[in-house]
Amino acid sequence: MAEVKCFIPQTLEEALEIRKEYHSIPLAGGSDLMVAGSRGAGITPAFKGDSVVLIGNLKELKGIKENADGSVEIGACTTSAEIAASPIVHPLLKDAASRMGAIALRNSATIGGNIGNASPKGDMPQPLILLDAEVVLQSKDGERRMLVDEYIIATKKTAIHDDELITKVIIPKHDFTHIFFRKIGMRRANAISKLTLSSAAIIKDGVVVDFRASSGAAGPKVARSRKAEEMLIGKKVEELESVKESFLDAWNDVIAPHAMPEYRRNTTRRMLSYFIDALIAGHGAGRVE
């Protein structure tokens, strides 16, 4: 049986030294990695490398705080349950975190792991990409930031270097007037996403100042089309009906042609149409249910 060396650093600095020397696989909650590597009860999980570094205990990677500019920082090892309970996290991310699997999973799964796993069905990357959130990547040689949308390249593929760790996620301040979130699964709880959608808009003086949408489990990564969004931005609310079908057709091109493509296209189309129709109807500011 192949052995897996396990490092348990006490500080972030020590963890970064281990990453630099051994390129050990980071493991926090393990809700994705332990399942992916499982080979049965009592058998050491199969990891891609020969060592793992346990980072879930590092205080430097935990917590949620609001910055002076209104942005919110979330430590990479902050759990889904903690995010769902936070009064300062954006409601769209709270929605995704609160619907993520079972209670036990939400108490162990971390935002850094959910992003780093790069599954197209991951719950939190979907609203994070809509919110233009950034990941902070740190190594012994320095720190860099990039949009979550750029960090996740494709299914299970990211832009991380083998000596880096995700240390935090930064979400800029947003003042959306209308938001919408849906998760579709086989059950209302404890379900892997078959499709998720977030959408948000700013309506000011009857004009669409901002409009965004992102869809999860609809391709090799979260789908968002800024080109399609631009079709609605700048339009008066009463003009949305005339451009809605063109916008929805443009969104069809975003959904990847894989398993159940028509289901995903049609369902996404209905959800986006529902949100836009609510704007046209003059829905009050807040959540569109």
Side-chain angles (χ1 to χ4, degrees):
M1 182 187 301
E3 292 186 356
V4 177
K5 186 180 294 185
C6 182
F7 296 99
I8 309 178
Q10 300 304 304
T11 65
L12 175 59
E13 181 178 3
E14 186 182 349
L16 293 175
E17 289 174 354
I18 293 167
R19 278 286 281 169
K20 183 172 184 176
E21 182 173 355
Y22 298 99
H23 309 311
S24 301
I25 297 171
L27 191 151
S31 56
D32 285 316
L33 288 179
M34 295 299 288
V35 173
S38 176
R39 296 191 293 176
I43 303 176
T44 303
F47 297 106
K48 289 183 179 180
D50 59 2
S51 65
V52 296
V53 53
L54 304 184
I55 60 174
N57 64 318
L58 298 181
K59 293 180 179 179
E60 299 101 315
L61 302 183
K62 293 178 178 288
I64 304 171
K65 71 174 184 178
E66 187 172 5
N67 297 320
D69 63 358
S71 64
V72 172
E73 285 188 14
I74 304 176
C77 289
T78 304
T79 67
S80 177
E82 291 167 334
I83 291 168
S86 172
I88 63 173
V89 170
H90 195 280
L92 287 175
L93 181 58
K94 286 165 63 74
D95 283 344
S98 67
R99 289 165 172 77
M100 186 175 169
I103 293 174
L105 184 143
R106 294 197 292 271
N107 282 321
S108 61
T110 65
I111 189 169
N114 205 227
I115 295 169
N117 189 47
S119 168
K121 296 185 178 182
D123 290 273
M124 289 191 275
Q126 186 259 104
L128 288 172
I129 286 175
L130 178 143
L131 295 168
D132 287 335
E134 294 181 301
V135 287
V136 178
L137 302 164
Q138 190 170 340
S139 70
K140 286 290 291 181
D141 299 322
E143 183 179 280
R144 63 191 181 112
R145 291 169 56 163
M146 66 171 60
L147 291 170
V148 175
D149 200 9
E150 296 174 351
Y151 173 79
I152 298 176
I153 298 171
T155 302
K156 304 292 184 177
K157 183 178 181 181
T158 72
I160 198 168
H161 297 161
D162 58 13
D163 64 343
E164 291 179 322
L165 289 173
I166 298 175
T167 57
K168 67 185 73 170
V169 178
I170 301 176
I171 305 171
K173 182 180 179 180
H174 294 285
D175 295 311
F176 297 121
T177 57
H178 298 77
I179 60 172
F180 174 84
F181 177 85
R182 285 288 187 276
K183 174 177 178 175
I184 298 172
M186 295 298 291
R187 301 177 299 276
R188 288 184 64 84
N190 301 357
I192 294 176
S193 299
K194 290 182 70 174
L195 189 66
T196 61
L197 182 87
S198 289
S199 194
I202 297 176
I203 307 297
K204 186 175 181 180
D205 298 328
V207 176
V208 181
V209 176
D210 194 1
F211 186 96
R212 305 178 183 202
S214 61
S215 181
K221 60 175 286 187
V222 172
R224 181 181 175 192
S225 174
R226 289 167 175 81
K227 183 177 180 181
E229 293 168 0
E230 289 171 1
M231 297 172 67
L232 304 184
I233 295 172
K235 296 290 189 297
K236 294 179 180 179
V237 171
E238 57 265 28
E239 296 175 324
L240 292 181
E241 185 65 51
S242 64
V243 297
K244 185 178 72 171
E245 291 303 313
S246 296
F247 167 80
L248 296 174
D249 289 342
W251 250 92
N252 275 344
D253 296 334
V254 180
I255 308 301
H258 64 313
M260 295 194 298
E262 292 308 311
Y263 166 79
R264 285 184 167 87
R265 282 191 173 87
N266 292 338
T267 305
T268 300
R269 190 181 188 99
R270 287 196 299 271
M271 289 190 290
L272 284 170
S273 181
Y274 181 84
F275 181 64
I276 294 170
D277 286 345
L279 299 180
I280 294 171
H283 191 289
R287 185 184 297 276
V288 175
E289 298 290 355

